[in-house]
Amino acid sequence: MKKYRVFDHTADLGIEVFGKTQADLFSRAALALFDLLVEGVDAQTTASTEARKLVIDGADSADLFVNFLREILYLFNGEGFLLTECRIAQIAEKRLRADIRGRRYDARKDRVKTEIKAVTYHQAAVVQTARGWQGRVVFDV
Amino acid sequence: MSETIMKKMDENRWLIEPAGGMRVPGILYTSERLLRDMGGDESPKQVANVAHLPGIVKYSLAMPDMHWGYGFPIGGVAAFDMASGIVSPGGVGYDINCGCRMMTTRLDLDAIRKQLPELVTALFQNIPSGVGSTGPLKLSPKDSRKVLIEGAKWTVDQGYGTPEDLEATEDHGAMDGADPEKISARAMDRGKQQLGTLGSGNHFLEIEVVEEIFDPIAAAAFGLEQDQIAVMIHSGSRGLGYQVCDDYLARMIKHMREMSLNLPDRQLACAYLDSQAGKDYLAAMACAANYAWANRQMLMHWTRETFEKTLRKTPRELGMRLLYDVCHNIAKIETLPVDGQLKKLCVHRKGATRAFPAGHPAVPERYRKVGQPVLIPGDMGTGSYVLAGTDRAYEDTFGSTCHGAGRVMSRAQATKLSKGRVVHRDMADRGVIVMASGRGTLREEIPEAYKNLDEVVAVVHRAGISKKVAKLRSLGCIKG
């Protein structure tokens, strides 16, 4: 089940993500990012072997959203960490703590779907709606 | 839809008059046809946005291959005063020193026609490409630093190429001012794994044949002749460059908030050239630029090796000579004429190429009579153009011209449009052998996703900001 929507953007790729709570929105965005990056990655099909704790800061909730996604994208691009589970332990407007789990990217088995170069600040937004929380972000691909 | 008002100046230029916080006008190099094809693309608005930046000189420019980018449009050219101006990572782009190099050969089409499939396959096997591909080299920390400071010279010193290659590379393949202390451990780490890789997306390595010569004198100076085989390489600074851009964008967004500099778009994040953040970015950007030159030099060396082995010919028989290497995502400190006087400026070229005229000392001696070679890669399988820089570019566009075809369609649109098509077979029907490592890449990169290259080049030629020298047709292409 997809909990996010891809929207079209010249030259790039944007997503809109929904969550019941802000924490829910952020963890779904993290999974959405990895769903776009690598084929068939989720907690059901992949045994996690590594756990990490993250503390992220931002100037406001949109900045926090971008910085959080930037961090986990780096973990993939720079360290080959493939995220499969994400729990936001604590979240406020300018700071969050997350417990993430995952495993090593395996070039022989894993298929990269899209190379995502960066998470951008373009139209980045986090808003609370009548039905919950909604976030928007554009990736440079 | 963009509401930016544009006034036609002549056949090739449209003016955006200063309004609101714009400090200078905007000028778009384009044509009726290209404008029509642009539809609702917001790059004109971005040209106006760039004109808001402190210290901008004369005007904010866009080349005919313009399309929407982060903050600055792709195809954007803007120059800033050294004392009052800024530098912006978004004015350079994520892929710092993304660029092209072209090699000429002593071969003609008949000499390789039969072995072309074998040659493309061998290149595909020998040149690491694709998403997250890693190179065969494992760099020591000491070597990593050297790559960042020395650029292509480091690669040549390792035995990958000759000093003659450096003479035919913009800035001799190394920018001054690179300081590895200014790049993050993360950028350094990503760099270590990826030197000598092509990358993915629109990056490619292509075997081409000279199809048409427009300027016989310049072509002769460049060593180009009809039916000759050439190789074009389009690649950049890989993960290291993206990380440098990402790191400094975040730092400058924070910096701007502290300075309460109010700009129309957050992605125009910048720092004054004389500030610490500005200086640090330029030093880090130079590292990434040098890495990209080292990278393209290595890719070229393996291309030469592959040709030698596959065609069983000696280097002398092949004569694979570097024509030139240009960068098209960069900020440079250059001395250029402003209102009749030479001035030191920080010129941003984001999806734009330097196009210096004949006689300029930065142009390699062997081309000095005809102007700097400008390499314009087309989209997948359409071939390329070789142009030469002009006085008009030097006077009017901060010595700059276009860089390629430019997207008109998002990757998602292209994928949708190409549904059910076997792209490599379509390409084969057009006489081009294509091999790619990513399954999605070919569909995202279909020719319809790009502007018409002939029209883009026609605009810069008519406007006089570079002149057509030769056109090359694609024969075989490897992609990430």
Side-chain angles (χ1 to χ4, degrees), chain B residues 57-78:
Chain B
V57 174
K58 281 164 87 172
Y59 27 58
S60 162
L61 298 172
M63 296 296 127
D65 43 350
M66 74 188 89
H67 59 100
W68 186 93
Y70 296 100
F72 285 59
I74 314 278
V77 176

Side-chain angles (χ1 to χ4, degrees), chain B residues 145 147-151 174-182 282-290:
Chain B
R145 286 178 58 88
V147 169
L148 302 182
I149 294 169
E150 296 177 2
M175 239 178 132
D176 290 338
D179 181 358
E181 299 301 319
K182 301 301 180 193
L282 281 175
M285 183 207 70
C287 290
N290 295 346

Side-chain angles (χ1 to χ4, degrees), chain B residues 339-464:
Chain B
D339 303 327
Q341 280 194 334
L342 284 177
K343 228 181 141 184
K344 215 163 126 185
L345 303 167
C346 179
V347 184
H348 291 61
R349 295 190 185 99
K350 182 186 191 180
T353 315
R354 197 183 69 177
F356 278 179
H360 193 284
V363 178
E365 222 176 300
R366 66 184 200 239
Y367 307 137
R368 209 162 286 165
K369 283 202 177 121
V370 293
Q372 179 213 305
V374 174
L375 310 174
I376 308 294
D379 48 283
M380 175 172 70
T382 52
S384 308
Y385 273 91
V386 178
L387 316 177
T390 60
D391 288 321
R392 178 64 72 81
Y394 188 65
E395 296 287 336
D396 288 359
T397 54
F398 307 108
S400 315
T401 189
C402 65
H403 88 303
R407 286 195 90 88
V408 284
M409 209 182 268
S410 73
R411 290 181 164 88
Q413 276 174 302
T415 306
K416 207 181 284 172
L417 183 75
S418 61
K419 199 169 181 178
R421 269 167 54 182
V422 183
V423 180
H424 71 264
R425 219 170 283 156
D426 285 4
M427 298 307 292
D429 289 345
R430 295 163 61 157
V432 190
I433 303 169
V434 183
M435 293 185 80
S437 33
R439 282 197 303 177
T441 307
L442 290 185
R443 287 179 53 194
E444 290 172 357
E445 297 290 317
I446 50 168
E448 295 95 312
Y450 286 87
K451 290 187 200 215
N452 182 324
L453 186 66
D454 295 332
E455 179 70 7
V456 167
V457 168
V459 171
V460 295
H461 180 80
R462 278 198 309 256

Side-chain angles (χ1 to χ4, degrees), chain B residues 214-254:
Chain B
F214 305 100
D215 182 332
I217 294 169
F222 293 169
L224 288 167
E225 51 188 273
Q226 188 76 33
D227 294 329
Q228 178 187 28
I229 298 296
V231 178
M232 180 79 133
I233 297 173
H234 181 209
S235 184
S237 52
R238 312 286 291 107
L240 182 134
Y242 310 158
Q243 193 66 40
V244 168
C245 181
D246 197 57
D247 290 341
Y248 277 90
L249 258 182
R251 178 167 163 190
M252 289 190 187
I253 283 172
K254 226 170 152 183

Side-chain angles (χ1 to χ4, degrees), chain B residues 163-182:
Chain B
E164 199 201 351
D165 297 337
L166 302 180
E167 283 166 34
T169 305
E170 186 168 333
D171 290 347
H172 293 89
M175 239 178 132
D176 290 338
D179 181 358
E181 299 301 319
K182 301 301 180 193

